[in-house]
Amino acid sequence: MMELVQRASSCFIHTAKFISPQKRRHLANSSCKSRKKKSQTNTTTSSNFARTLSLVVRASDEVDTAAVLDNPTLRPPRFQVFDGSPAPFGATARDGGVNFAVFSMNAVSATLCFTTLSDMQDKRVIEQIPLDPLTNKTGDVWHVFLKGDFTEMVYGYKFDGDFSPQGGHYYDSSQLLLDPYAKAVESRGEFGVLGPEGDRWPQMACMVPSPDAQFDWEGDLPLKLPQRDLVIYELHVRGFTRHDSSRTEFPGTYVGVVEKLDHLKELGVNCIELMPCHEFNELEYYSYNSVLGDYKMNFWGYSTINYFSPMRRYSTVSNLDCGHGAINEFKLLVKEAHKREIEVIMDVVFNHTAEGNEKGPTLSFRGVDNSVFYMLAPKGEFYNYSGCGNTFNCNHPVVRQFILDCLRYWVTEMHVDGFRFDLASILTRGSSLWDAVNVYGNPMGGDLVTTGTPLSNPPLIDMISNDPVLRGVKLLAEAWDCGLYQVGRFPHWGIWSEWNGKYRDTVRQFIKGTDGFAGAFAECLCGSPNLYQVGGRKPWNSINFVCAHDGFTLVDLVMYNNKHNLANGEDNNDGENHNNSWNCGQEGEFASISVKKLRKRQMRNFFLCLMVSQGVPMIHMGDEYGHTKGGNNNTYCHDNYINYFRWDKKEEASPDFFRFCCLMTQLRRESESLGLNDFPTAERLQWHGHSPGTPDWSEASRFVAFTLIDSVKGALYMAFNASHLPVTISLPERPGYRWEPLVDTSKPAPFDFLTDDLPERDTAIKQYAHFLDANLYPMLSYSSIILVLSPDNDA
C-alpha cells in the first residue's frame, strides 16, 4: 500500500525533474483510475510499491523536487488503513480505531496528516496518508479508518485543487489544515505567549479522540429553568479571575471560574453567559501598545478558529494532553454551575471566522472549501456583513448542517443550556448561490434573491428552532449585524429571545433625564410588548440589559459623557460615539462629593429598573461592584486590569452597591409579579403620575410610577423621578393598608434598601411617618423608590 512508502526508516534517494502540481494531479488520477478496488484490509505488497511512487510525489509538500526512493527498508507500519465511513464527520473513536471523515466538494485530493506536539512546533509532518478518491471518498466526503498507536499524535488535512481566488478557491497543498469538526485544537500552551520564532500563527493541529476518555458527570442533568426566572450574568472566563486579587489557584481558567461560582450565587445569578469559549487566537491583533506599554490582544475572542473545540488556553493543563484537559475542565465548569442551580449559556460566533478576508490566514474552512463556507461575490470577493473581513455562509446546506451538528454537540456532550448568537442577523441572510430548488426542492414564486438578502424563513433558523434537541434550550439572538437591525423582528418560531438593544437605549435616555422617553420607558418596564406581543412572543423573549461587554460599564455610564479609547492605540476613532451616557456634571473619576453621590443614585436607578422590568435581566461582569474601564467603550484588545474583575474592589463595595444588587435580585426572585409569563394588563398594573391614576406621558415628562398586584408581596408601588427637581408624590389609597418604604435610591447604604434585619430600620421608617400618614412620599431628583403595601394596624 502506497501509504507505507513514506514510512521507510532508511533509504537512498536522488532528485528527479520537478513535477508541476497539474502533472502531479494527472499522475495521481491516472494511478487511481488504473487500480482495482482494494480489499478491506489493504495489505501492502511489493507488487504495488512502484505504482504508489507518483502519489508519494503528490503527497510530499516540503520539497520542490520529486523524491524517488530506491531499495527502501520498510519499518513496521504505524497504522492499519481501511476505507472508513463518511459518517459521522470529524475523528471518531470506534471499533478499536479512529474513523476520519471530512467534507470537501471542490478538492481534487486529500491527505490525512499526523504529527506530534514537538514536531508540530517545527511544522513537521511525520505521517501522511493520501486518500484514494475511489475508496476513501463517498460523494463529497473524504474518509478513512485507522488502527494503531495514536499516543501523543495530533492530526490535520492537506487538500489540493485550484488556487483561484476569483473562482472562490484557495487550495494549497502545503497548508496543514484543521478539521472543522475537531473536538480540540493544539497549538501554543500559554495564553498570550508567541509561538516559535515569535510566530503569531504557529502551526495548529487537531486532537485524536481516545476511546478511554472519561468524565464523571455525577448524574448531571439539564436544569431547564423557566426563562422568565433567569438572571443572566455575562462573564469572560479569563477576565473573571485573572487579577491577583482573585486569589484563585488557577487564575484566568475554567477552574478559576469554578472557584468563584459562589459569588454569582450570592449575587442572585442563575445563568451565566460565557463570552466566546471556542478556540480562538488571542495573538491575532498582537502588536505593541505604546500607550500602556504592553501588547494588544484579541481578549474578547470574537474570532473563532474551531467551533467544536473549547478554548485550550483557558485550561490549567500544559500543552501535553492533546486537548483532553480543556474539554474536561469546561465540563467541570458546567457541572459545578449546575450543582449551584446556575445554567450555562455560550456566546457563539457563527457570523464570521478568524480567517478574515483574502489577506487573512488559511487555517481551516478556507483551505477545506472556501466557496462553500464563506459568502462570496461573483468574482470571489468576501462579503463582509460581520465587519470582520468575511461572512460565514450560514444558509448553505452543508454549512447549516455543520452549525446544527456543532450546537447539538455542545448540548449533548458538554451539557450547556443554551446559546447567545453574536450578530445573529447574519444567520438569516441568503447564502451564496441561493435558490429555492437547492433549499426546498422546488421553485418558489418571487424567490430570486441575491447573496446576503434577508430571508423571511431562513432555513438555518428553521432547522434550529425545530430540532428535537435544540428547541428545548435557550436561544438568544443579537438581532443585528453591520447592515441589518432586527430587534423585535427576528425570525423566532415562538422560542427565540433577543438582546433588546432598544431597551438599553431607552432606559439610558430616560434615567439620565432626556425628554420624550416616558412612554417608551413604560414599555420597557412591561417587557417591550410593542416589540414582542404582536409576534406572539412573551416578556421573557426580551433580554434586558443596560450594559454589556461592548460599550460603557455601568459606573462609566454615569462617569463619562464621551468615550476615552486612546489606550486602544487607534486615536480614539474606534468604539461607539453615541453612548447615551451622562457624567452627572463632571467628566471622569475625580469629581466633587455631590457628583459622586448623584452617580451612586444613578447606578442604583439603572439596576433597580433592570430588576423590576418584565423580561430577563442581564448583568455585565463587574457592574455589581462598579468596575470602571476608564471610559473605554471598546476594550476588545486589553489583557490587563482594564478588563479584569477586581475582587479587591468588590470587597470594598460589599456594604454599598454590591449589597444593593444582591438585595434587588432577591426581591425579584421573591416577587411573583416581577417575572411574569405574559405581559401585564390593567387588572394587575396601574399607572400613576405625581397623583394616583394620572400618568403623564407628555414630551416633557420625566416621571413614571405604577403599582403591581403581587400574590407574595400584596402590592408594590414603584416610581422613577428622572427630573433634576425633587417632588412629593401622592400615593394610591388602599383602605386598611399603608405603604411602607423598602427601596429608595437617594438614601446612603444601608438605608437604600431597608431589610427586616437592619438594626435602625424602624428609626428610618419613622422619619417618613408624617408623610406616609398623609399618603405622601418625598422623592429627590434622579431617584427611584419601591414601596410595599402593609396592613395598617392603626386604621
Side-chain angles (χ1 to χ4, degrees):
M1 193 179 95
M2 68 92 179
E3 292 92 328
L4 298 181
V5 177
Q6 301 159 61
R7 303 180 191 138
S9 59
S10 63
C11 62
F12 299 97
I13 66 171
H14 62 271
T15 58
K17 184 179 179 181
F18 173 74
I19 302 176
S20 69
Q22 292 83 2
K23 183 65 174 177
R24 293 183 193 181
R25 289 195 291 273
H26 173 73
L27 290 173
N29 291 338
S30 299
S31 176
C32 290
K33 291 176 181 178
S34 67
R35 276 181 276 176
K36 295 182 180 180
K37 184 174 178 64
K38 292 182 288 183
S39 66
Q40 183 67 14
T41 57
N42 281 322
T43 56
T44 303
T45 65
S46 59
S47 63
N48 63 18
F49 181 84
R51 69 178 173 81
T52 64
L53 291 181
S54 63
L55 292 183
V56 174
V57 172
R58 174 172 59 82
S60 177
D61 298 309
E62 299 181 9
V63 294
D64 290 333
T65 55
V68 179
L69 286 72
D70 294 334
N71 301 318
T73 301
L74 296 180
R75 61 171 169 78
R78 187 183 298 270
F79 301 119
Q80 290 179 281
V81 183
F82 304 87
D83 291 349
S85 170
F89 286 136
T92 307
R94 69 183 191 194
D95 303 328
V98 179
N99 189 79
F100 297 85
V102 61
F103 164 88
S104 182
M105 179 172 64
N106 293 296
V108 299
S109 72
T111 303
L112 177 61
C113 304
F114 290 92
T115 184
T116 64
L117 293 176
S118 57
D119 289 310
M120 182 181 67
Q121 301 303 318
D122 298 326
K123 298 186 177 181
R124 183 166 55 243
V125 172
I126 64 172
E127 292 284 334
Q128 296 192 91
I129 303 177
L131 305 185
D132 188 332
L134 296 179
T135 59
N136 298 117
K137 188 179 182 186
T138 303
D140 296 325
V141 182
W142 302 80
H143 50 80
V144 67
F145 182 79
L146 304 180
K147 288 187 177 182
D149 183 7
F150 294 96
T151 304
E152 296 186 1
M153 300 287 280
V154 288
Y155 78 97
Y157 287 98
K158 292 184 178 181
F159 291 95
D160 203 359
D162 289 337
F163 184 88
S164 56
Q166 285 194 338
H169 303 303
Y170 286 79
Y171 288 108
D172 181 353
S173 59
S174 69
Q175 294 278 353
L176 183 66
L177 304 172
L178 295 174
D179 179 357
Y181 277 78
K183 302 308 185 293
V185 170
E186 282 296 338
S187 58
R188 297 172 293 104
E190 188 176 346
F191 191 96
V193 177
L194 291 165
E197 301 180 357
D199 192 353
R200 292 188 303 122
W201 291 97
Q203 182 61 59
M204 292 178 283
C206 311
M207 176 193 77
V208 179
S210 169
D212 301 324
Q214 299 290 331
F215 181 79
D216 184 7
W217 280 105
E218 300 181 64
D220 178 74
L221 293 172
L223 296 178
K224 295 185 177 180
L225 301 177
Q227 188 158 313
R228 66 178 181 273
D229 294 337
L230 295 185
V231 175
I232 299 176
Y233 187 89
E234 187 189 30
L235 183 148
H236 188 282
V237 169
R238 179 170 172 84
F240 195 50
T241 62
R242 185 64 187 85
H243 195 265
D244 291 342
S245 62
S246 73
R247 296 191 292 273
T248 54
E249 185 177 357
F250 300 103
T253 66
Y254 302 119
V255 176
V257 175
V258 171
E259 294 184 60
K260 292 295 188 179
L261 285 175
D262 288 338
H263 162 76
L264 301 180
K265 189 70 175 177
E266 180 184 8
L267 179 57
V269 167
N270 59 6
C271 179
I272 52 178
E273 182 180 302
L274 299 176
M275 288 178 65
C277 290
H278 288 150
E279 185 69 26
F280 67 90
N281 181 12
E282 71 277 11
L283 300 177
E284 184 174 359
Y285 315 134
Y286 189 82
S287 60
Y288 183 69
N289 186 344
S290 60
V291 179
L292 296 182
D294 62 2
Y295 289 85
K296 294 175 67 173
M297 299 278 186
N298 174 14
F299 185 75
W300 285 349
Y302 288 93
S303 195
T304 307
I305 290 173
N306 187 277
Y307 291 99
F308 283 83
S309 303
M311 176 58 173
R312 166 68 183 76
R313 289 168 300 286
Y314 284 170
S315 69
T316 67
V317 294
S318 65
N319 199 28
L320 299 175
D321 72 334
C322 298
H324 295 284
I327 294 173
N328 286 339
E329 290 185 15
F330 186 93
K331 290 179 177 179
L332 175 68
L333 168 55
V334 175
K335 180 175 72 172
E336 292 301 316
H338 285 177
K339 285 181 180 179
R340 293 164 176 81
E341 296 294 311
I342 298 174
E343 292 191 331
V344 178
I345 289 176
M346 292 186 68
D347 194 340
V348 292
V349 191
F350 287 110
N351 56 81
H352 76 283
T353 76
E355 292 182 308
N357 58 20
E358 68 280 357
K359 297 180 181 180
T362 297
L363 309 170
S364 179
F365 303 100
R366 175 174 292 149
V368 172
D369 212 322
N370 182 77
S371 64
V372 169
F373 285 104
Y374 294 115
M375 200 179 288
L376 304 179
K379 293 186 178 181
E381 304 97 330
F382 289 86
Y383 278 98
N384 190 21
Y385 294 113
S386 67
C388 299
N390 64 53
T391 303
F392 215 45
N393 203 20
C394 297
N395 280 297
H396 186 285
V398 170
V399 182
R400 65 177 185 259
Q401 186 61 55
F402 167 82
I403 294 173
L404 204 74
D405 290 343
C406 180
L407 297 175
R408 291 180 67 132
Y409 171 80
W410 284 94
V411 171
T412 58
E413 181 64 26
M414 310 296 268
H415 288 206
V416 302
D417 302 283
F419 306 94
R420 179 263 186 187
F421 294 82
D422 182 66
L423 298 184
S425 289
I426 284 176
L427 277 61
T428 73
R429 292 183 178 272
S431 64
S432 298
L433 306 179
W434 171 271
D435 66 88
V437 174
N438 182 41
V439 176
Y440 296 109
N442 54 67
M444 301 173 66
D447 194 60
L448 180 63
V449 296
T450 58
T451 300
T453 298
L455 306 172
S456 58
N457 294 297
L460 174 60
I461 305 300
D462 187 345
M463 291 175 68
I464 295 172
S465 304
N466 294 289
D467 183 81
V469 172
L470 300 176
R471 67 173 289 107
V473 304
K474 275 75 176 181
L475 301 171
L476 283 58
E478 184 185 40
W480 56 83
D481 60 28
C482 285
L484 182 61
Y485 192 78
Q486 294 179 303
V487 172
R489 299 180 292 107
F490 189 83
H492 55 81
W493 273 262
I495 60 176
W496 284 75
S497 300
E498 298 173 8
W499 262 31
N500 192 343
K502 292 184 177 180
Y503 176 98
R504 172 200 59 205
D505 298 341
T506 298
V507 168
R508 288 185 178 191
Q509 291 275 30
F510 179 81
I511 294 294
K512 76 185 183 79
T514 306
D515 286 341
F517 283 90
F521 181 72
E523 294 274 9
C524 291
L525 292 171
C526 292
S528 301
N530 56 317
L531 297 178
Y532 302 112
Q533 192 168 30
V534 174
R537 283 187 279 180
K538 303 295 183 180
W540 45 263
N541 290 120
S542 173
I543 307 301
N544 301 330
F545 66 103
V546 175
C547 300
H549 68 275
D550 191 359
F552 278 155
T553 66
L554 185 58
V555 71
D556 288 352
L557 188 64
V558 301
M559 202 154 56
Y560 296 94
N561 280 353
N562 305 302
K563 65 182 183 182
H564 295 265
N565 295 4
L566 287 174
N568 299 353
E570 300 178 43
D571 296 325
N572 210 40
N573 291 319
D574 63 305
E576 178 60 58
N577 291 316
H578 306 288
N579 295 286
N580 296 320
S581 60
W582 178 44
N583 63 18
C584 298
Q586 290 178 264
E587 187 80 355
E589 189 170 357
F590 301 101
S592 66
I593 294 176
S594 60
V595 167
K596 288 184 176 181
K597 287 182 178 180
L598 176 56
R599 289 173 176 174
K600 287 185 176 182
R601 291 213 300 274
Q602 289 291 74
M603 289 176 66
R604 294 188 188 105
N605 291 336
F606 280 120
F607 200 86
L608 186 150
C609 172
L610 192 60
M611 289 301 133
V612 303
S613 297
Q614 303 299 325
V616 177
M618 186 185 79
I619 306 167
H620 175 51
M621 183 181 86
D623 280 348
E624 69 268 34
Y625 69 82
H627 179 79
T628 179
K629 297 182 180 180
N632 193 325
N633 69 359
N634 190 33
T635 61
Y636 72 98
C637 58
H638 295 290
D639 181 34
N640 53 40
Y641 68 94
I642 294 177
N643 280 318
Y644 294 166
F645 190 103
R646 292 289 302 272
W647 293 92
D648 51 343
K649 299 295 185 182
K650 177 254 177 176
E651 291 167 4
E652 294 172 11
S654 289
D656 190 0
F657 190 62
F658 180 66
R659 170 187 177 271
F660 180 84
C661 292
C662 293
L663 291 172
M664 281 304 308
T665 59
Q666 180 181 344
L667 175 65
R668 179 181 177 87
R669 187 168 59 250
E670 293 176 350
S671 301
E672 167 265 345
S673 62
L674 297 182
L676 297 173
N677 195 48
D678 215 332
F679 298 100
T681 64
E683 296 176 352
R684 178 187 289 271
L685 181 147
Q686 184 180 10
W687 297 105
H688 308 291
H690 293 160
S691 299
T694 57
D696 181 2
W697 306 121
S698 68
E699 189 74 10
S701 175
R702 298 185 184 183
F703 184 87
V704 172
F706 62 100
T707 50
L708 267 178
I709 297 174
D710 190 284
S711 62
V712 177
K713 301 293 184 180
L716 299 171
Y717 177 92
M718 287 169 266
F720 297 84
N721 180 25
S723 170
H724 61 287
L725 300 173
V727 62
T728 299
I729 57 175
S730 298
L731 301 173
E733 295 282 353
R734 297 291 188 267
Y737 294 88
R738 62 183 285 124
W739 295 102
E740 285 195 358
L742 177 65
V743 179
D744 189 334
T745 62
S746 70
K747 305 300 179 189
F751 302 107
D752 51 354
F753 199 116
L754 300 177
T755 58
D756 291 339
D757 59 353
L758 189 65
E760 299 172 286
R761 178 179 182 276
D762 292 340
T763 302
I765 291 178
K766 286 180 181 178
Q767 292 177 349
Y768 287 90
H770 58 295
F771 283 103
L772 295 172
D773 288 343
N775 225 35
L776 302 172
Y777 194 90
M779 292 186 67
L780 289 187
S781 60
Y782 302 108
S783 69
S784 50
I785 63 171
I786 301 178
L787 309 179
V788 180
L789 198 63
S790 300
D792 186 356
N793 296 325
D794 298 328

